[in-house]
Amino acid sequence: MKRREFMAGAASALGAAWLGTRWLGSTALALPPLPQKFSAADTVVLGKTGIKTSRLAMGTGTVGVGHHSHQTDLGVKGLSELLLNGYDRGLRFFDAADSYGSHPHVAEALKHIPRDKVTVLTKSWSRDPAGVRADLDRFRKELGTDYLDVCLMHCLTEGDWTNRYRGVMDVLSEAKQKGIIRAHGCSCHSIEALRAAAKSPWVDVDLARINPIGSHMDADPATVVGVLREMKAAGKGVIGMKILGQGDLRNRQDEAIHYALSLGVLDAFTIGAESKSEQEDLIRRIGSA
């Protein structure tokens, strides 16, 4: 057996062991050992997209809604400096969205680094072709870039979304062909939408909610991980979110990070830090898992 196959199998087995772990109040059983050392700055590839980036994405949308988030509270200067602090420590993945209002903050950071050295992911709420076409033009202007690395349909909940929003998907496919975006996909907020994403050959990248206690997730961890394994097997890029359960695991960060790394299905994951010290602590915790 090749080393890569062994490592993938071992990670999958560890994920299964985690899913059998019983959580007791505020504590858990002993953490299973990981098959290798990880780093927040590890270079990963998002599925079959060819997009190389860092394992940890810098989230800009903790409680992101109404063009506002905990990160945008830092202001354009504050958040852009936080992103650049991560960049200086090897992080190469900016996770933005229209609904977070974080495009100007990311744009400011992009002024100070080579554009081709960082992955810019953003998300559109538009559910009609004209809306998403306009979003692509506006997003690029707001971000100060000619292209987007990843553009996702944001917060899908419908099980039939691949039929209902076919027009939006066609616009994003056309944008990919023209080089306006490098990859398209979705973020899912229901198990039905997640299952539809797993079965759709159109989805290049999926942003999925996953943590060991099922907080702010589409279903229980075992069910979600099963769908993510299907995605991974199909060659989709799988990015984890809600790794800390939107704060519910703030006092159990090592366990949550260890869990994400143990699953063997996440190419990368996004966590939104709110300060440089918090960001550097996350980087340290991933390296110590």
Side-chain angles (χ1 to χ4, degrees):
M1 180 182 294
K2 296 180 180 178
R3 175 178 170 79
R4 181 177 299 174
E5 294 171 347
F6 171 79
M7 298 300 274
S12 179
L14 284 169
W18 256 104
L19 295 174
T21 299
R22 294 188 59 184
W23 290 76
L24 307 174
S26 62
T27 61
L29 300 179
L31 303 177
L34 294 173
Q36 65 185 87
K37 291 296 293 181
F38 292 95
S39 165
D42 286 339
T43 298
V44 302
V45 181
L46 301 180
K48 294 180 179 178
T49 67
I51 296 173
K52 296 181 179 179
T53 191
S54 59
R55 186 177 304 282
L56 178 63
M58 292 179 277
T60 63
T62 303
V63 192
V65 65
H67 303 283
H68 174 268
S69 75
H70 289 185
Q71 282 71 35
T72 60
D73 273 347
L74 299 172
V76 170
K77 184 176 186 293
L79 180 49
S80 64
E81 288 181 351
L82 181 61
L83 295 173
L84 292 173
N85 186 67
Y87 181 88
D88 288 342
R89 285 154 180 77
L91 305 187
R92 296 291 185 267
F93 200 165
F94 295 171
D95 171 24
D98 187 31
S99 66
Y100 307 160
S102 58
H103 288 168
H105 310 68
V106 172
E108 180 60 30
L110 290 176
K111 293 177 182 177
H112 304 282
I113 54 179
R115 173 63 184 90
D116 62 353
K117 299 299 183 183
V118 68
T119 301
V120 177
L121 178 153
T122 191
K123 315 171 190 80
S124 168
W125 272 94
S126 292
R127 298 296 192 255
D128 64 88
V132 76
R133 198 182 301 276
D135 278 353
L136 290 173
D137 290 338
R138 177 169 60 87
F139 290 2
R140 287 181 293 153
K141 290 178 183 177
E142 291 176 349
L143 289 160
T145 180
D146 293 333
Y147 68 96
L148 308 172
D149 293 288
V150 184
C151 186
L152 304 181
M153 297 176 66
H154 202 172
C155 198
L156 291 171
T157 59
E158 302 89 346
D160 66 346
W161 70 264
T162 55
N163 293 319
R164 186 180 300 203
Y165 303 129
R166 172 56 61 181
V168 173
M169 295 163 66
D170 289 344
V171 170
L172 291 172
S173 293
E174 179 186 2
K176 180 180 170 182
Q177 291 173 356
K178 292 181 176 179
I180 294 171
I181 64 176
R182 297 176 65 195
H184 45 58
C186 57
S187 69
C188 296
H189 284 249
S190 79
I191 191 63
E192 294 80 13
L194 190 69
R195 285 175 171 147
K199 297 185 184 307
S200 171
W202 177 85
V203 174
D204 299 324
V205 176
D206 185 86
L207 185 61
R209 303 188 289 183
I210 184 69
N211 58 70
I213 62 173
S215 176
H216 299 274
M217 281 177 52
D218 302 327
D220 63 274
T223 298
V224 170
V225 170
V227 180
L228 299 186
R229 285 183 179 145
E230 181 182 350
M231 287 183 171
K232 184 76 170 177
K236 303 182 187 305
V238 183
I239 305 168
M241 61 174 167
K242 304 297 183 189
I243 301 300
L244 302 181
Q246 200 167 301
D248 290 345
L249 285 159
R250 66 174 61 86
N251 296 321
R252 296 157 69 176
Q253 294 183 55
D254 290 337
E255 297 166 28
I257 290 169
H258 196 285
Y259 173 78
L261 294 171
S262 75
L263 293 173
V265 296
L266 303 179
D267 296 318
F269 52 84
T270 181
I271 301 177
E274 297 177 35
S275 68
K276 292 180 182 179
S277 60
E278 192 173 280
Q279 181 186 70
E280 291 165 16
D281 182 61
L282 280 170
I283 292 171
R284 179 190 61 78
R285 289 176 187 273
I286 294 170
S288 300

